[in-house]
Amino acid sequence: LLPELVQTSDVELLEAISKGDERALASLYDRYRAILFGLLMRILNNRAEAEDVLQEVFIQVWQRAANFDATRGKPFTWLVTLTRSRAIDRLRALGSRERTVEQATREAEDVIFDAEQNAIESQRGEIVRAALSELSEEQQQVLTLAYFDGFSQSEIAEKLNSPLGTVKTRMRTGLMKLRDLLGRQTQILA
Amino acid sequence: LKEQNEKSEYLAAHALDALNQIEAQELAAEIAEDEGLAAELEDWRNVLANLAYAVPVAEPSPSVRANLLAAIKITPQKQKKIVEDANNGGAVVERPKSSPQPEKSNVISFPTPVRSTRSFWSYAPAFGAVAASIVAVFLGVALYNTSQSNLTQIAELNQKLVTAEQQLNEAQTQLMRERQERELLGSPASAVFSLTGTEDVPGAKARLVFDQKTGKAVLFVEGLPDAPQGKAYQIWWITDPKKPAPGGTFKTGAEGKGELRDQIPQQYTKASFFAVTVEPEGGSQSPTGSIILKSPV
């Protein structure tokens, strides 16, 4: 890759992609493949499926880059939201949510709290994991079931045999606490 | 969804896609007409995107990049358009800059009437203005009701658009997958193994194709009844019979057919013995169930 592409901002890369610049897409892929693939592996727990979805996500980025509006959101958020959404769709299509949840539950402790990467991402990982650890176990549980396993509030209530109101409260308070905790680290997480 | 606090709570759950379908549709219609709500939803998505940092990073196979770059050469890009995509991040929620903006004010101004020298006609503009104001109020109410209905329809149409796009992407992925399988079969490094059913399922058979360089593997299974409740089939890569390496799990459909795409760990790409066992869903680290398919020793 040319050095100028490595230094280019995400927004500039998306602008270039929208104009058909294939090198820009390659650069964006190189920048985020590892973190997005980690997320896909966490959700799908299947390497081949995760690779399929990763490819699908970047094809969609290629197709829809022209519709990305930097005044309305961040490229990283868009990529993660798109990736998670496609992964949950795939999980449902495979009908393998139960399996993944069982596995996720079994491995939750060491999967979520065991990241490694380069210095910056490692630092970001530490901040997010530290913030997550500040939440109660119940709050972590509902957020994990919703975010990584794609369950709705009603499904979580049924799964945990808890009242729907309780699940909503845990989700709301957990998210607000997470927002507060992460909000103090915006410079590092930006 | 009336109160602001309640809306904020719903937005947080919506960012997690944790609302039920009706709640999500209702909220999407409100977001479509309220930029403040759209911005707040994006804030929640920014918070949640950070959760991606909490999981271990992983490295995809180099072939993904190569396939992606090959795929975009034949994939047309879409032009800028109106997209209200609740599932794909608010950043793509946009309207063309040239499109007319909805009227934000309820006040409709009229040109100042020119007074006539005749006494009756001197009041005519005032009557006209009052009449016009009444008509405007009625029109405003009617337009408001219509716009509410239109917003719901837009939200529904956009949902259909998103679904259609997803189906298109899935079809493209399927095509890509088939092409990759053809490439796998045609690769000079590909190896093909036949697996036959043991005495438990004598009619079952399978074909395993994998690339010894990249480790990409596909298993095609036939004649294998669906796994028992709570169980799945799991493949094992075997170089040392005492230490079989766990592969992926799969299930079979009504016709006894199944398919598994998996990645063989590099140290097992020279394996020449493979077996399939019945394991708990989610798989095992070492075999616990009986062998139901195996390759010749």
Side-chain angles (χ1 to χ4, degrees):
Chain A
L1 277 174
L2 295 174
E4 67 266 27
L5 279 182
V6 176
Q7 300 302 323
T8 309
S9 75
D10 293 346
V11 172
E12 287 167 332
L13 282 180
L14 282 171
E15 280 170 5
I17 293 166
S18 72
K19 292 170 186 158
D21 188 336
E22 295 173 10
R23 286 189 318 155
L25 184 81
S27 188
L28 192 73
Y29 175 85
D30 291 337
R31 196 171 287 180
Y32 290 114
R33 69 180 191 282
I35 189 162
L36 296 180
F37 191 60
L39 177 63
L40 286 167
M41 285 298 291
R42 170 62 182 83
I43 294 172
L44 291 164
N45 194 34
N46 178 306
R47 188 173 179 85
E49 294 292 348
E51 289 188 346
D52 251 7
V53 176
L54 184 68
Q55 189 171 309
E56 193 179 304
V57 165
F58 276 92
I59 287 175
Q60 196 154 6
V61 168
W62 172 254
Q63 290 177 311
R64 300 178 62 173
N67 278 315
F68 178 79
D69 183 349
T71 63
R72 287 177 177 265
K74 298 176 184 172
F76 178 70
T77 299
W78 184 45
L79 282 174
V80 172
T81 307
L82 195 59
T83 302
R84 176 182 167 267
S85 175
R86 293 290 167 266
I88 299 291
D89 287 345
R90 179 63 64 93
L91 200 59
R92 287 175 181 151
L94 291 169
S96 57
R97 202 152 53 150
E98 288 301 323
R99 180 204 70 184
T100 310
V101 170
E102 282 171 16
Q103 186 129 348
T105 307
R106 201 168 61 234
E107 297 176 355
E109 291 299 313
D110 44 23
V111 169
I112 295 181
F113 304 105
D114 175 34
E116 57 188 22
Q117 239 269 24
N118 63 45
I120 296 171
E121 286 190 354
S122 176
Q123 192 183 6
R124 287 171 176 164
E126 279 171 24
I127 289 167
V128 177
R129 286 191 300 280
L132 279 169
S133 68
E134 295 277 311
L135 307 186
S136 70
E137 266 185 40
E138 291 82 7
Q139 288 169 338
Q140 285 184 43
Q141 190 178 34
V142 293
L143 289 186
T144 300
L145 284 169
Y147 191 79
F148 293 112
D149 302 312
F151 286 109
S152 69
Q153 291 174 323
S154 312
E155 288 172 324
I156 294 170
E158 194 177 335
K159 189 159 193 65
L160 300 180
N161 202 19
S162 298
L164 179 59
T166 305
V167 169
K168 285 184 175 180
T169 303
R170 285 176 187 168
M171 190 175 281
R172 183 180 70 245
T173 52
L175 280 169
M176 289 171 73
K177 193 167 180 182
L178 192 63
R179 181 176 62 180
D180 291 344
L181 291 163
L182 295 178
R184 295 172 202 159
Q185 307 285 347
T186 46
Q187 281 193 323
I188 298 167
L189 291 170
Chain B
L1 304 184
K2 300 288 182 197
E3 300 298 328
Q4 193 58 39
N5 285 345
E6 196 181 359
K7 278 183 191 170
S8 293
E9 289 175 22
Y10 274 90
L11 283 170
H14 191 48
L16 265 172
D17 299 318
L19 295 177
N20 66 42
Q21 199 177 357
I22 294 169
E23 289 170 334
Q25 279 181 353
E26 197 179 340
L27 190 59
E30 294 202 37
I31 292 166
E33 65 172 317
D34 187 335
E35 293 201 351
L37 290 181
E40 195 176 338
L41 177 65
E42 191 60 21
D43 283 345
W44 280 116
R45 284 186 169 140
N46 287 335
V47 171
L48 289 167
N50 287 313
L51 291 180
Y53 288 120
V55 296
V57 293
E59 192 62 41
S61 309
S63 61
V64 178
R65 189 180 193 274
N67 289 330
L68 171 69
L69 296 179
I72 61 170
K73 288 187 188 301
I74 53 165
T75 305
Q77 289 183 293
K78 294 175 184 173
Q79 297 304 307
K80 199 163 187 162
K81 60 179 181 180
I82 296 173
V83 179
E84 302 281 351
D85 186 347
N87 293 322
N88 292 315
V92 288
V93 177
E94 60 182 59
R95 293 185 169 82
K97 297 279 186 283
S98 58
S99 67
Q101 294 301 305
E103 182 63 63
K104 296 213 188 298
S105 169
N106 290 324
V107 177
I108 300 172
S109 58
F110 292 91
T112 310
V114 179
R115 278 185 180 277
S116 162
T117 51
R118 289 186 294 177
S119 60
F120 171 79
W121 295 108
S122 66
Y123 294 106
F127 286 134
V130 170
S133 298
I134 292 167
V135 170
V137 167
F138 277 111
L139 279 176
V141 170
L143 279 173
Y144 176 78
N145 289 335
T146 309
S147 68
Q148 291 300 304
S149 161
N150 286 345
L151 283 170
T152 308
Q153 283 179 338
I154 288 170
E156 286 170 4
L157 284 171
N158 277 318
Q159 191 56 46
K160 284 180 185 169
L161 179 65
V162 170
T163 307
E165 280 184 350
Q166 276 175 234
Q167 286 170 344
L168 178 66
N169 282 330
E170 280 162 16
Q172 283 177 327
T173 304
Q174 182 63 27
L175 272 173
M176 196 67 63
R177 208 182 241 187
E178 285 170 8
R179 201 180 72 180
Q180 287 165 1
E181 279 167 17
R182 280 200 303 276
E183 284 173 3
L184 190 60
L185 285 165
S187 164
S190 76
V192 182
F193 287 86
S194 293
L195 284 77
T196 51
T198 56
E199 59 271 19
D200 293 338
V201 277
K205 59 182 179 179
R207 192 160 57 108
L208 174 69
V209 186
F210 68 92
D211 190 316
Q212 291 178 310
K213 274 176 77 178
T214 65
K216 272 192 175 297
V218 186
L219 178 75
F220 302 94
V221 182
E222 282 181 33
L224 190 59
D226 200 7
Q229 182 73 24
K231 302 278 187 182
Y233 297 113
Q234 183 171 15
I235 192 164
W236 300 91
W237 324 118
I238 305 166
T239 49
D240 176 356
K242 290 177 185 169
K243 291 180 188 170
T249 60
F250 64 95
K251 292 197 166 190
T252 50
E255 294 175 352
K257 290 186 177 178
E259 205 172 302
L260 170 71
R261 287 175 184 74
D262 209 349
Q263 180 75 31
I264 304 182
Q266 199 57 42
Q267 64 270 35
Y268 293 99
T269 52
K270 300 294 178 197
S272 56
F273 184 58
F274 308 90
V276 172
T277 61
V278 180
E279 300 295 334
E281 277 188 278
S284 305
Q285 284 307 302
S286 54
T288 61
S290 54
I291 295 176
I292 47 100
L293 281 165
K294 62 180 182 181
S295 64
V297 179

